[in-house]
Amino acid sequence: MKLKLLFSCLITAGIAVPSFAQEPVDAAMVQKIREEGLNHSKVMETAFYLTDVSGPRLANSPGLKRAQNWAVNQLKTWGMANSKLEAWGKFGKGWEVQKNYAAITVPYYHAIIAIPKAWTPGTNGLIKGEVMIIKADSAAELEQYKGKLAGKIVIFDTKAPTERTWKVDAARYTDEELTEMANAKATPAGPRRNAVDPNAAQMAAFRKLRAFRTALSQFLVDEKAGLVLSQARGTDGTVFTTNGASYADTAKAVAPELETSSEDYQRILRLIKGGQPVQLEADIKTQFITDDLQGYDVVAEIPGTDKKLKDQVVMLGGHLDSWHAATGATDNAAGSAVMLEAMRILKAINFKPKRTIRIALWSSEEQGLFGSRGYVANHFGDPKTMELKPEQAKLSAYYNLDNGTGKIRGVYLQGDSAAAPIFKAWLEPFKDLAATTLTIRNTGGTDHLSFDAVGIPGFQFIQDAIDYGTRTHHSNQDTYDRLIEDDLKQAATIIASFVYHTAQRAEMIPRKELPKPQPAR
């Protein structure tokens, strides 16, 4: 009788399938990992150095370089091999805020919540003046302000945010939500993004808006506006930051711009519209860093020891860069600290893996997954042509963490159904830590996609959202205080176990069908 038929008969007869038919789990090693990860954790200490000590970590900024250098040295201290910064390609200018002060002075004093937009210049010293409203929806309407904006502080007539919500900021997945994820069907790939035929009217409106914004930006520069106030997304003092200019070394100059909390922005507008003059003073100093335009990733390894398997690799990682309004704790010092901790755990228990284990902390994820895409292009292949390099066949899996401080609840299989029984077995020892769910669903927006694009099994873990989307993601609230220690310990422990079993498994993680080439749009 064939083995597959034998198993079928045993199951039908109600007889337990022998253990050799199941994905093996090393219970003794899992216990060692749990002991080290849950009772001797260094994850919060690591998070402290990546956030409070390093500061904001905008792409190519001094803060990012501080964090990268600390991580390289810490990995060496823990005994990792080949710990280094690896260039992935050209990024562009670095940038940081060196001074940021802005306050209403008339009709009374009030320090406003406002943050310089990334890659915008400063005010070249303290400026003072009356705030002036600009009302224009086209380049033609801007002509009425010609010759009137030199040195002025300007604001736009912008609507207030939508009515406030009464939902709580922070939440964990409910049992019902996790069940719905587990029961989800695989979604068809559908047409590639570059093959979509967008609605002509929508595209026309988008092009018109983009053209106006370009014209407005140039107009403010030509007219030598002293400072621009724009309304940030967010409420209750939260400012979700963005960039106000390109990081490219060839980018055109823009006017100084402060992204202002909606409450302060609307107060200024109400006063001016009510006939009350508003005066403001500001002193903004920013610096561009142009001495090195390359982007870098942090990489380090625990070398494999098996003669046949040591050239194969298991990777884990997360992006180290952040936005600049705070210290990027949940996005993504949390993920980086967890992955560093997973490496520390494996080294602390004196694990000598069969396959090589490699950590990578990416840069410039926030601008388009550049660090991981560059690394994948240099090592594994080009998704545009699907011309693959020899290393592509030797990477078993890549594990990513980048959805905040929340604990792991399971794994997004990214359509890789063959990995489901493997991961189900590996999650089993962590039921008591609330990690049980597998979903066939894809999830987007972070670095595992760079690996998935060239046919490498790339996985993002399901995490409790907490207040990631509502309060901390890219905002001035994204600080160390938002981190949940027990959640990070849990995540590091589970990931260390996944990496351990992937490194020891007789076979590599099963792969999906290779994707088709994806030419650039």
Side-chain angles (χ1 to χ4, degrees), residues 421-481:
I422 301 167
F423 291 170
K424 179 177 174 59
W426 293 354
L427 282 175
E428 189 69 25
F430 301 104
K431 277 187 173 181
D432 63 315
L433 300 183
T436 59
T437 302
L438 296 174
T439 180
I440 198 67
R441 286 178 180 169
N442 304 330
T443 185
T446 193
D447 293 292
H448 70 291
L449 296 178
S450 301
F451 294 81
D452 186 71
V454 294
I456 295 169
F459 304 100
Q460 167 76 17
F461 290 90
I462 302 168
Q463 290 179 264
D464 282 330
I466 312 300
D467 55 358
Y468 186 65
T470 57
R471 194 59 57 187
T472 65
H473 181 242
H474 298 182
S475 86
N476 60 334
Q477 301 292 325
D478 195 7
T479 64
Y480 178 94
D481 316 84

Side-chain angles (χ1 to χ4, degrees), residues 187-227:
T187 54
R192 294 192 304 272
R193 207 182 313 178
N194 61 347
V196 173
D197 183 19
N199 179 280
Q202 290 177 334
M203 286 303 297
F206 173 75
R207 284 193 291 268
K208 181 180 178 181
L209 178 61
R210 184 172 61 182
F212 172 64
R213 286 179 174 173
T214 300
L216 174 61
S217 179
Q218 189 60 51
F219 184 80
L220 293 171
V221 172
D222 293 343
E223 294 299 308
K224 298 180 173 56
L227 180 64

